[in-house]
Amino acid sequence: MIALRRTRLCAVTVVAVAALTVACGADPQAETVHAGREIRGQLELLRLVVTADRAEVPPVPSLSVTVRDAADELGAAGKDVGELTDDRARAALASITDRAVAVAHRLDEGLGDGTDEGLDAIDAELQGLVAELARWGVTS
Amino acid sequence: MSKKFLAVTLGILTAVGGFVDIGDLVESGVVGARYGMAMVWVTVLGVLGICVYADMSGRIVAVSGRPVFDLIRERLGPRMALVNLAGSFLITLLTVCAEIGGVAIVIELASGVDRLVWVLPIGVLIWLVVWRVGFERMETGFGLGGLAIGVFAVAVFFLHPDWSSLGAQVAGLAPPPDQALPTYAYHAVALFASAMTPYEVFFFSSGGVEEGWTVKDLSVQRANVLLGFPLGGLLAIAVMACSAIVLFPAGVDVSQVSQIVLPVTLALGTAGLVIVLIGIFAATFGAALETGLSSGYMLAQYFGWDWGKRRAPRKAARFHLTVGVGLLVAVLVVQTGLDPVGLTEISLIFSAVALPLTYLPVLIVANDREYLGKHANGHFSNIVGVGMLVVIAIAALVAIPLMIFTGAGQ
């Protein structure tokens, strides 16, 4: 009798966990925020590079590698975005990702002779992309 | 007196600089960016564990004059020792790969040239150092070089953190509300394993034999362990703090070594960057030497071959061949382009699984009065040792399920 109860309890638990997993996985808003967070993290990382004290931190190879790595990570995040179930969110985040990758590449090319004005313009673009993500609920 | 003091100081500094390897560096950076300082307790626990078991290993070597693995085979039999050997050898080989990948990344960060270009030359250089450089010179040189990682601690102050916020994170212990508990547990296991990687015990005990420790050296080796390792643990916490101050508030998930270095660059500029790259190079290159040698130590000690750097290579040919082949395999694995950070994470999780295979036999041998006489474990060592073994067993049991359930901590 006890064994039967245990079996039922286990079955109910498994079904509940499965249902919860499916429910969580199917929440479009949660999916969007999850995918957006990775993009936002890389945008903030690029902002850290751009807003560094330019007298103290000249364009050394390590920063170029950081920017290239960020571009790679954004590319990987783009794949997650492609799996979003909400069509509008997918299109918006894909657009943001594409523009972020483009900015990262420009930044990589511009680090060597980056003027203050150029870097400030890139920072403004990055801030704009972060603001766009915020409109989709990606705020942290 | 002053000569002995110098020797003790040098030993402690070497232990401090040699404590941090690619595993500590990556995992401390990852958890700092993800959870702030909430996982300091895990590093403290790991340091306590490695201190207790390294002390036991040191006593075993100093009293018996034989390395731990040798005694494990004799005390527990060849079958049990073979299980230990299989698990520890594969994990150590995986760790060699991660360390070589780490060295390659450092050179990429310094030069801007793709890391894969550097993998083969690094492998050759490691082999040359193993072949040509004396044990003590090698250990001291790279251990002291690794002290440059202390620049993370300097950077913490130059980043002008909100100390009360950092303190609250340390005291908070739990993950931030928006982070899942299983992922937190996964990273806790990986961070714990980074402090207690199995190769450390094999290298430490084999190194004791290489350096000819006796009972007279017990106080010196104990000072190295009980002061050097905790101070090394502080370096790992400094890496975590840099990520917690700069990357955590920005919501950056660390997935590259370049991201771990960034806070030091932002705080201290080019000078800080140069120092941190020297430190990481010394730490990862030194650990690659240690893991490479450890793979040879394990096999040679199990099969009863002549081994060690104190013997001419032609007198310990099978040992040197094993080390060389191990390095070659590691170079080929890294050359495939596998992500070194991912490789490090996987090596840490599998290390966690293998931890009981390493540490249970050490505890058994350290309690055997036939081998250790009056230097066998006392009550305190046993209570802490058994307590740590329970933690180790839990970490080993949950490591793989957590890796699968969380998608390797994603």
Side-chain angles (χ1 to χ4, degrees):
Chain A
M1 189 65 182
I2 291 173
L4 187 65
R5 270 187 196 163
R6 273 190 192 153
T7 312
R8 278 183 189 162
L9 191 63
C10 283
V12 169
T13 309
V14 168
V15 170
V17 169
L20 192 66
T21 309
V22 170
C24 289
D27 179 355
Q29 178 61 19
E31 278 181 354
T32 305
V33 171
H34 183 75
R37 270 187 174 169
E38 176 60 28
I39 301 166
R40 189 180 190 279
Q42 297 306 323
L43 292 172
E44 292 290 357
L45 184 80
L46 290 172
R47 287 200 63 220
L48 286 172
V49 173
V50 171
T51 56
D53 182 340
R54 287 157 204 167
E56 288 289 312
V57 190
V60 286
S62 143
L63 287 185
S64 286
V65 176
T66 309
V67 171
R68 255 181 277 154
D69 286 344
D72 291 346
E73 294 296 327
L74 283 166
K79 286 178 190 160
D80 293 342
V81 167
E83 289 167 11
L84 292 178
T85 49
D86 180 339
D87 291 343
R88 284 180 58 236
R90 188 173 63 240
L93 264 62
S95 163
I96 292 171
T97 311
D98 288 345
R99 281 179 285 153
V101 171
V103 171
H105 284 310
R106 261 196 296 136
L107 185 57
D108 185 22
E109 288 157 14
L111 261 179
D113 57 351
T115 58
D116 280 4
E117 293 75 23
L119 290 173
D120 287 342
I122 284 181
D123 187 37
E125 277 187 65
L126 291 169
Q127 284 188 60
L129 292 171
V130 170
E132 278 189 51
L133 280 173
R135 274 181 240 136
W136 290 93
V138 186
T139 51
S140 64
Chain B
M1 178 64 188
S2 63
K3 201 175 172 186
K4 189 171 183 183
F5 179 74
L6 189 69
V8 172
T9 309
L10 195 64
I12 292 169
L13 290 177
T14 305
V16 175
F19 182 86
V20 175
D21 66 359
I22 189 74
D24 300 285
L25 196 73
V26 165
E27 202 51 43
S28 299
V30 166
V31 302
R34 199 153 190 164
Y35 304 110
M37 298 297 282
M39 275 202 201
V40 166
W41 67 272
V42 180
T43 302
V44 172
L45 198 64
V47 169
L48 177 67
I50 193 67
C51 282
V52 170
Y53 279 93
D55 176 56
M56 287 183 209
S57 307
R59 267 185 285 128
I60 290 170
V61 174
V63 175
S64 69
R66 293 162 64 188
V68 169
F69 204 88
D70 196 7
L71 294 186
I72 288 173
R73 190 187 60 162
E74 186 175 281
R75 175 69 173 74
L76 303 178
R79 274 192 194 169
M80 177 65 190
L82 187 63
V83 175
N84 183 315
L85 173 72
S88 304
F89 183 78
L90 290 174
I91 300 303
T92 302
L93 214 52
L94 204 56
T95 314
V96 183
C97 299
E99 303 294 351
I100 290 177
V103 181
I105 289 178
V106 175
I107 302 178
E108 181 184 16
L109 288 174
S111 66
V113 178
D114 191 278
R115 66 186 156 85
L116 292 181
V117 173
W118 303 106
V119 175
L120 184 60
I122 291 166
V124 173
L125 194 61
I126 292 169
W127 179 77
L128 279 174
V129 173
V130 167
W131 186 267
R132 299 294 303 172
V133 181
F135 186 89
E136 282 181 41
R137 185 176 293 182
M138 176 193 92
E139 203 191 9
T140 308
F142 287 101
L144 294 181
L147 283 174
I149 284 184
V151 74
F152 276 100
V154 178
V156 168
F157 291 94
F158 277 79
L159 287 167
H160 307 296
D162 176 354
W163 292 103
S164 60
S165 165
L166 284 187
Q169 289 168 18
V170 173
L173 300 176
D178 59 338
Q179 295 280 357
L181 193 59
T183 315
Y184 178 82
Y186 169 86
H187 286 292
V189 168
L191 187 63
F192 180 69
S194 73
M196 294 203 69
T197 320
Y199 84 85
E200 291 177 21
V201 164
F202 294 117
F203 182 78
F204 186 71
S205 74
S206 303
V209 177
E210 297 260 30
E211 291 177 340
W213 289 350
T214 64
V215 176
K216 284 182 188 168
D217 300 308
L218 271 178
S219 57
V220 175
Q221 74 84 13
R222 191 163 271 175
N224 289 351
V225 168
L226 299 182
L227 286 173
F229 285 180
L231 289 173
L234 283 181
L235 294 189
I237 290 174
V239 175
M240 193 189 293
C242 279
S243 284
I245 296 164
V246 175
L247 305 178
F248 177 59
V252 179
D253 255 354
V254 164
S255 50
Q256 307 284 346
V257 175
S258 61
Q259 296 160 348
I260 298 169
V261 170
L262 186 62
V264 177
T265 316
L266 297 179
L268 301 170
T270 313
L273 176 66
V274 170
I275 296 170
V276 80
L277 291 183
I278 290 171
I280 298 177
F281 176 84
T284 49
F285 196 94
L289 291 167
E290 292 180 3
T291 46
L293 280 168
S294 293
S295 62
Y297 288 145
M298 288 174 199
L299 275 186
Q301 288 162 17
Y302 180 82
F303 290 110
W305 304 336
D306 271 344
W307 61 273
K309 283 176 58 57
R310 69 200 183 290
R311 290 176 203 274
R314 66 191 153 83
K315 287 187 179 170
R318 283 177 290 194
F319 165 73
H320 278 277
L321 184 68
T322 306
V323 174
V325 171
L327 286 174
L328 181 63
V329 170
V331 163
L332 291 175
V333 170
V334 180
Q335 198 72 65
T336 60
L338 280 174
D339 165 35
V341 171
L343 201 61
T344 304
E345 287 264 354
I346 287 176
S347 79
L348 290 176
I349 288 302
F350 282 97
S351 288
V353 176
L355 288 177
L357 293 175
T358 304
Y359 291 104
L360 175 62
V362 172
L363 186 64
I364 293 171
V365 174
N367 269 290
D368 194 325
R369 293 195 180 273
E370 267 187 47
Y371 290 116
L372 294 184
K374 66 176 182 177
H375 295 288
N377 273 1
H379 287 306
F380 180 75
S381 290
N382 273 334
I383 289 169
V384 183
V386 170
M388 287 311 304
L389 201 62
V390 172
V391 178
I392 285 168
I394 293 170
L397 280 175
V398 300
I400 298 290
L402 280 174
M403 185 174 79
I404 295 167
F405 186 70
T406 65
Q410 296 305 306

